[in-house]
Amino acid sequence: MYSPSIFDSHFHAFSPQEPQRAPIGVFDSGVGGLTVLRQLYQQLPNESIIYVGDTARLPYGIRSQTEILQFVREILHWMHQQRVKMAIMACNTSSALALDIVRQEFDFPILGVILPGAKAAVQQGQRIGVIATPATAQSNAYRQAILEIKSNVQVWQVSCPEFVPLIEQNRIHDPYTTQIAKTYLEPLLHQEIDTLVYGCTHYPHLSPVLRSLLPTQVKLIDPAVYVVAACSQELDILGIKNTHPPMPTRFAVSGCPQQFTQSGFQWLGYTPMVEQVCFADAVVS
């Protein structure tokens, strides 16, 4: 059962009359969404943020739509209790399988990463490769989004089931990871792609490996950059962009806090304070 933490007094310090000071919720299955968090720090440095990692149930990319929808609803219910003003699905699998449904169920804006990534891809190239989790690839969400924006481009998708576990295990520089990456990229290189979309927020962590295997002219698209730009625009439209100093980022995970702390330090450059939360407890049955 979730119990109040030291963070709650900070994050509940704003009043309902000051919605701009409410935090933005960001969630992913694990450390992948930290790529979105880093973009928030760069593009929206005044925003307070709650980061959720559903580490007890990762990877999401091999799960069914029913499971993903249940997990997303539980996390968003918990975020609603924390009074977030907006949520970002820093998870391509959730964006592909649950975004349209939960947008109808919650009264705060929810942004996904697929449409911003697709828009950026068609601005960069004509022969577009997408690397993604099995669930995202099977959903065809990127292909559909890209072709709806620009129908005369070509799109190839590759399912990469081993990437997320390798990243979560901090095995990015293992020779095995390079070998697996070569295997995944081979069909895309055969098609002579000019653009590669990271179809999972974990994958930018693999940039050094992927860049070393790709021709220099292939452009890399990180949807994290573009979803945060979309978030900034949405905050402006709604008039709720924060102009005050931000609260410290709050980190909540469903699995082991210590493991996330170690991974978080590598990607963030500081040691995050991490609490463990059971998100299912937020849903009243």
Side-chain angles (χ1 to χ4, degrees):
M1 179 68 68
Y2 172 72
S3 58
S5 73
I6 59 170
F7 296 97
D8 290 305
S9 59
H10 294 301
F11 274 87
H12 288 173
F14 62 89
S15 71
Q17 287 74 40
E18 295 182 297
Q20 72 273 15
R21 302 187 76 164
I24 296 171
V26 179
F27 73 89
D28 183 47
S29 60
V31 299
L34 295 180
T35 57
V36 174
L37 181 62
R38 289 188 301 191
Q39 285 298 319
L40 283 164
Y41 287 163
Q42 290 180 30
Q43 297 186 43
L44 293 168
N46 284 342
E47 296 298 334
S48 300
I49 302 160
I50 299 177
Y51 184 93
V52 166
D54 195 7
T55 52
R57 300 186 286 200
L58 67 81
Y60 275 18
I62 59 172
R63 294 190 179 270
S64 68
Q65 181 177 17
T66 301
E67 288 178 301
I68 294 297
L69 189 55
Q70 176 190 335
F71 299 164
V72 169
R73 280 173 171 152
E74 290 171 358
I75 291 167
L76 289 173
H77 273 291
W78 183 82
M79 285 187 171
H80 176 70
Q81 292 177 354
Q82 314 312 307
R83 298 196 281 177
V84 300
K85 63 182 177 184
M86 179 180 292
I88 299 177
M89 284 189 181
C91 172
N92 286 265
T93 302
S94 299
S95 297
L97 300 181
L99 179 62
D100 290 341
I101 297 171
V102 296
R103 270 182 167 166
Q104 309 302 316
E105 299 175 353
F106 291 87
D107 61 0
F108 49 85
I110 304 170
L111 304 183
V113 287
I114 289 177
L115 184 57
K119 287 180 177 177
V122 300
Q123 291 172 354
Q124 296 290 332
Q126 291 286 323
R127 303 178 65 82
I128 300 168
V130 180
I131 50 175
T133 66
T136 301
Q138 187 175 6
S139 75
N140 268 320
Y142 266 104
R143 182 194 300 276
Q144 291 169 5
I146 289 169
L147 294 177
E148 282 177 13
I149 298 165
K150 194 172 183 181
S151 61
N152 63 342
V153 300
Q154 293 181 278
V155 186
W156 296 272
Q157 298 178 124
V158 173
S159 172
C160 307
E162 292 201 57
F163 273 170
V164 169
L166 287 169
I167 293 165
E168 290 285 338
Q169 294 162 20
N170 197 20
R171 295 178 59 190
I172 288 168
H173 300 293
D174 279 15
Y176 177 74
T177 302
T178 301
Q179 178 186 336
I180 288 296
K182 283 181 180 177
T183 302
Y184 290 154
L185 291 177
E186 185 177 358
L188 299 177
L189 293 172
H190 181 72
Q191 298 294 343
E192 298 183 340
I193 61 167
D194 57 26
T195 306
L196 181 69
V197 179
Y198 295 135
C200 172
T201 49
H202 279 74
Y203 296 174
H205 295 311
L206 290 170
S207 289
V209 176
L210 299 173
R211 186 74 274 176
S212 72
L213 299 173
L214 291 165
T216 55
Q217 68 270 21
V218 175
K219 305 174 189 72
L220 299 175
I221 302 296
D222 180 1
V225 175
Y226 304 98
V227 72
V228 173
C231 174
S232 180
Q233 291 177 348
E234 187 80 4
L235 292 172
D236 279 333
I237 291 169
L238 296 172
I240 54 173
K241 187 173 281 185
N242 191 25
T243 56
H244 302 273
M247 297 292 180
T249 301
R250 176 182 177 185
F251 294 89
V253 301
S254 57
C256 174
Q258 290 77 17
Q259 184 175 346
F260 188 91
T261 298
Q262 292 172 0
S263 300
F265 176 79
Q266 178 176 356
W267 305 122
L268 295 171
Y270 67 88
T271 302
M273 289 182 61
V274 184
E275 59 183 307
Q276 187 174 27
V277 173
C278 180
F279 300 110
D281 289 344
V283 181
V284 179
S285 57

